[in-house]
Amino acid sequence: MRVRTTRKRVLRGATFAVAVAATALAVAGPAGAQSTETVALGQQLNLLWIVIGAILVIFMQAGFALVETGFCRAKHASHVVSTNFAIFGLGFVAFFLVGFPLAFGGYSYDLPGFDWGYGATPLGGALVGSGSWVFLWHGGWALSGDKITPAVAAFFLYMVAFMDTVATIPTGSMAERWRWKSFVLWGLFCGAIYYPLFTAWTWGGGWLGKTWDTLGLGAGYVDFAGSGVVHAVGGVAALAGAVVLGPRLGKFAEDGTPRAIPGHHIPMAMLGTFILLFGWFGFNAASTFAATDVQFATVATNTAIAGAFGAVVAMLWMTYVRGDKPDPGMMANGMLAGLVAITAPCAFTSPAWSAVIGVIAGVLVIESVLFVERRLHLDDPVGAISVHGVCGTFGVLAVGIFANGSYGGGWNGSDVEAVEGVVKGEFGQLGAQALGAVVIWTVILGLAYAFFKLQDTLTKGGIRSAAEDELMGLDLPEMGVLAYPEFSGVGGLGGSVQDHSHAASPEGERVGAEPVA
């Protein structure tokens, strides 16, 4: 992801459309007109690229909704899918009014041939801090003022889609027991404060992105499309929320042994995983911010490779190491883990290293899911902590390990010729990435925990749904409508508390294998 300063880069050429246009203009008009019109055409093409990418990322919300709803019980289906629907509007409104200026008020982008018309002048400036130590920005509140151009609007649309990904991750770990009104406040808080904070420090041009200058660490914190800024930040919020809420009723036996609580619709969840895979190409490839930057082809390919290897390795690991069945849930988890892990390094590494990243993520997510349940005794219905928090952190570190020096010259305004990691004999970049990971797992995790804990303390009855509502299913008590009205009785389709919550798990049954988006 680009940050606020103009920078050098490894030039990769331009698209065929721009080349044809330039040739046509060379025949058709004067030199000055040729240059101006060619630049304008390139900017228009890149602007369209960003908007298409934003649409793909927004469509991922449908994938989240299907995955999380499918891997929760039928009696909560209306509630779970509604959280995934409502979070888009809640986070969007808060980010529009408050969050975008705090994160990107100091952002600028002026790279001839690879820009989309955003310009070198930011919307505002530093709100807290100065120089290489900026912590918050200001400017462009509610997208108002003379500086709001189509280029700024497109950038906002892309960034708000990323914010909504962060906001929706905890809806998986906190599913089936989260009071609706408390959820609403989380959506607003995430869009206004939570997501913008770490974003301001990194993509917005703040202090973590400037550690190349202040601490001499590589190109500063580098995260091409958000393994850390999006996924790990959402993952630690999922952890904090799960800790404050506590487990679902009947999830753990008196001795702490976890019990399986199967989801009600595997085909729904698997379809959601495919939708997320599709949208991920907008998530990663469009983060070049330029169709004229043909590195997007490498990014898209690396993304697919990591996802495929993650799925296959997870399938094999479950079949031959952790059991004797492939487990559809963990197959999906493996794919999503590979996609999450490659999101940060996808532009800076090779296809071969992308496969390695996918392999590692496919194993890491399984072991993490088991550790979270069996050792930490936390209830995460869809594995959000492991997929996003753990594998997102791995993706952050992967930049410092697997960056091969083929791309990223001048990143963050630094003087590096390219982003290089351990595989190129450079360790400074790994230091920058490790610092970012530590900040996520201390400061950002602490902020999320403080929000949920304070909200739980100040809310009458806490942020958790009433026990009787949880047992009945949250659809009627919280939403007033059943997802499956044709099925009567407590719990509905294969999801009654009698069926699962108080029944001991069959011997040897795997627990917590449901996937997450």
Side-chain angles (χ1 to χ4, degrees), residues 253 303 412 428:
T303 298
N412 288 329

Side-chain angles (χ1 to χ4, degrees), residues 19 88 92 112 117 153-154 157 162 171 224 249-250 260 264 269 273 281 319 321 364 372 400 425 428 436 465-466:
F88 174 79
F92 195 112
L157 184 65
F162 279 63
T171 64
F224 189 75
L249 296 176
H264 81 285
T273 302
F281 293 106
T319 302
V321 178
L364 184 61
V372 167
S465 298

Side-chain angles (χ1 to χ4, degrees), residues 207-497:
W207 71 278
L208 277 174
K210 296 300 181 182
T211 52
W212 63 268
D213 177 44
T214 57
L215 300 175
L217 297 176
Y221 178 86
V222 172
D223 191 344
F224 189 75
S227 289
V229 178
V230 176
H231 294 285
V233 166
V236 297
L239 171 61
V243 170
V244 173
L245 270 185
R248 290 169 290 176
L249 296 176
K251 176 60 183 179
F252 295 100
E254 292 184 2
D255 63 358
T257 302
R259 294 167 173 159
I261 304 181
H264 81 285
H265 204 312
I266 290 176
M268 179 189 292
M270 300 302 278
L271 175 60
T273 302
F274 271 114
I275 290 175
L276 286 167
L277 171 64
F278 177 74
W280 226 288
F281 293 106
F283 208 99
N284 286 4
S287 288
T288 60
F289 289 165
T292 53
D293 178 1
V294 297
Q295 185 71 354
F296 73 78
T298 300
V299 170
T301 303
N302 287 347
T303 298
I305 289 170
F309 272 83
V312 171
V313 168
M315 175 187 70
L316 296 175
W317 193 261
M318 289 305 298
T319 302
Y320 298 106
V321 178
R322 283 295 185 175
D324 59 358
K325 301 282 193 305
D327 194 321
M330 280 302 190
M331 287 167 57
N333 258 343
M335 173 174 284
L336 295 171
L339 293 170
V340 167
I342 198 61
T343 296
C346 56
F348 309 105
T349 193
S350 67
W353 285 125
S354 298
V356 172
I357 291 170
V359 168
I360 296 172
V363 174
L364 184 61
V365 69
I366 294 172
E367 296 305 314
S368 175
V369 164
L370 297 177
F371 179 82
V372 167
E373 280 201 332
R374 296 176 180 179
R375 300 297 183 184
L376 301 183
H377 301 291
L378 294 176
D379 183 13
D380 182 357
V382 296
I385 298 167
S386 299
V387 170
H388 297 281
V390 174
C391 292
T393 302
F394 168 59
V396 169
L397 299 177
V399 176
I401 299 170
F402 299 108
N404 62 2
S406 63
Y407 186 77
W411 205 266
N412 288 329
S414 66
D415 59 0
V416 302
E417 294 298 322
V419 177
E420 296 181 340
V422 174
V423 297
K424 293 292 289 184
E426 296 293 331
F427 289 84
Q429 191 62 53
L430 182 57
Q433 303 305 111
L435 176 60
V438 169
V439 170
I440 291 172
W441 283 92
T442 55
V443 178
I444 303 303
L445 172 60
L447 176 63
Y449 181 80
F451 170 79
F452 288 125
K453 190 65 176 178
L454 184 64
Q455 187 188 26
D456 188 56
T457 302
L458 297 179
T459 301
K460 184 179 181 180
I463 65 174
R464 181 171 180 144
S465 298
E468 57 269 26
D469 293 343
E470 183 182 342
L471 292 173
M472 177 188 298
L474 298 183
D475 282 6
L476 280 177
E478 292 270 3
M479 310 309 299
V481 62
L482 289 170
Y484 304 102
E486 64 272 30
F487 293 92
S488 61
V490 176
L493 258 179
S496 69
V497 67

